[in-house]
Amino acid sequence: MKVLVTGGAGVVGRALCRELLNRGVCVRVLSLPGDTLVQSLPSGVEIAYGNVADYGSIRPAFDGVDCVFHLAAILLSNDAEAFEKINAGGTRNVVSACQDAGVRRLLYVSSISVTYPVLTPYGASKLAGEAAVKDSGLEWTIVRPTLVIGDGGGVEFRMFADFVCRFPLYPMPGGGAAKKRPVRSVDLVKGIAAAGLARDAVGKTYALAGPEVMTMAEMARRVLRQAGLRHWMVPLPWWLARMLAVFKNRIGGRRVSAEQALAGFLYDAVPDIENAEKDLDYHPEPAL
């Protein structure tokens, strides 16, 4: 069996390549031209270059492939059009390339943020990607990771951990009441691999989360304990948190929009993983 992993040179993508190789699968990676991270890919991985936003550049990579694992996406940006171009438009291009190359099986890595009551531009772009996958006529499976921790992955968690460790008094929007089920990177990768290879997973959507439910405040306390720090949380009302996030963007903190920065503090992400446990033999360990 031969698979194509889009975005395979990223942290989760490289780990997925190793997992698939260990399962006896031949792996081809689609990466951006000039991406030096391909040097870190496991030996035996075939490399193709292209940009999912440019259909013509990616189409040849799909020839001779049995299944596509579509990971390529942007997670953080202050540009809503970039989310639409890469996450939504890029997924539509991947679907078209699968159809034109005769690839029947597609695994799409979405996000738990598509379940939030109010979608950020990122969440909306991932939900649009889900719609394209479901309407494709392919044998599709969708996975929705929660907050990823460990093994070099999880940029959102690393930003959060750096934030609470940096200041003796750290502000917490909403008092950190939002509940999460963070997932270890290693468990997420195993879940993605199993979902893309299992016949029972066709036509299904799985949440890939960890076993523990914790609030953002509890997560901060655990991070600080592991770092050997004694910092104190300052609960921040929502109106003030939003005002400060918007101000930070205006003075140069432009990596992520105020809406996206606050969404994780505002909404719970505690999905049921029973179906993944049953269909994928998915049994994650505590993330912290």
Side-chain angles (χ1 to χ4, degrees):
M1 182 180 188
K2 189 167 191 175
V3 305
L4 174 67
V5 181
T6 73
V11 173
V12 173
R14 295 197 301 273
L16 178 61
C17 289
R18 292 191 294 270
E19 178 69 22
L20 291 169
L21 289 171
N22 289 339
R23 292 173 181 242
V25 177
C26 296
V27 179
R28 177 186 296 162
V29 160
L30 177 66
S31 186
L32 286 169
D35 189 350
T36 58
L37 291 175
V38 297
Q39 300 172 6
S40 302
L41 285 167
S43 60
V45 171
E46 181 184 343
I47 302 171
Y49 293 99
N51 186 332
V52 293
D54 176 8
Y55 174 80
S57 73
I58 68 171
R59 170 60 187 82
F62 289 71
D63 288 333
V65 168
D66 301 298
C67 174
V68 171
F69 288 78
H70 180 35
L71 281 65
I74 56 170
L75 180 64
L76 301 175
S77 177
N78 202 31
D79 181 3
E81 292 184 0
F83 290 125
E84 168 59 30
K85 180 179 180 181
I86 303 299
N87 297 353
T91 300
R92 288 189 284 268
N93 284 339
V94 166
V95 166
S96 295
C98 286
Q99 294 168 335
D100 293 344
V103 180
R104 294 302 309 161
R105 189 79 169 89
L106 174 61
L107 182 286
Y108 176 54
V109 178
S110 182
S111 167
I112 200 63
S113 65
V114 303
T115 66
Y116 289 171
V118 178
L119 296 179
T120 63
Y122 169 75
S125 69
K126 297 301 281 187
L127 189 60
E130 287 194 7
V133 169
K134 291 178 179 179
D135 292 340
S136 66
L138 303 173
E139 297 176 356
W140 58 266
T141 302
I142 295 170
V143 295
R144 294 171 174 170
T146 56
L147 189 65
V148 183
I149 295 178
D151 194 26
V155 61
E156 288 179 305
F157 175 76
R158 294 202 309 273
M159 291 173 64
F160 173 76
D162 290 345
F163 170 70
V164 300
C165 290
R166 187 177 305 147
F167 307 106
L169 296 175
Y170 61 93
M172 184 72 76
K179 297 177 181 179
K180 306 294 179 182
R181 289 187 72 165
V183 60
R184 296 192 312 158
S185 177
V186 63
D187 290 323
L188 171 62
V189 166
K190 290 179 180 178
I192 293 172
L197 300 176
R199 296 301 307 172
D200 290 343
V202 172
K204 297 180 181 179
T205 300
Y206 298 98
L208 297 182
E212 288 187 299
V213 176
M214 66 185 78
T215 65
M216 297 290 286
E218 171 61 19
M219 195 181 306
R221 287 193 290 270
R222 294 196 190 191
V223 166
L224 290 168
R225 280 201 299 269
Q226 290 181 0
L229 297 173
R230 295 189 65 183
H231 293 176
W232 285 266
M233 177 183 73
V234 178
L236 208 61
W238 281 113
W239 66 267
L240 181 57
R242 174 164 177 75
M243 184 176 69
L244 291 175
V246 171
F247 176 72
K248 184 176 184 296
N249 277 1
R250 289 180 177 176
I251 64 173
R254 299 184 180 279
R255 190 180 185 190
V256 59
S257 69
E259 290 80 8
Q260 190 174 0
L262 293 178
F265 292 97
L266 181 59
Y267 301 121
D268 293 342
V270 288
D272 188 352
I273 60 172
E274 182 179 353
N275 289 337
E277 292 173 327
K278 180 180 65 175
D279 294 351
L280 310 178
D281 194 27
Y282 177 73
H283 303 289
E285 296 181 11
L288 287 172

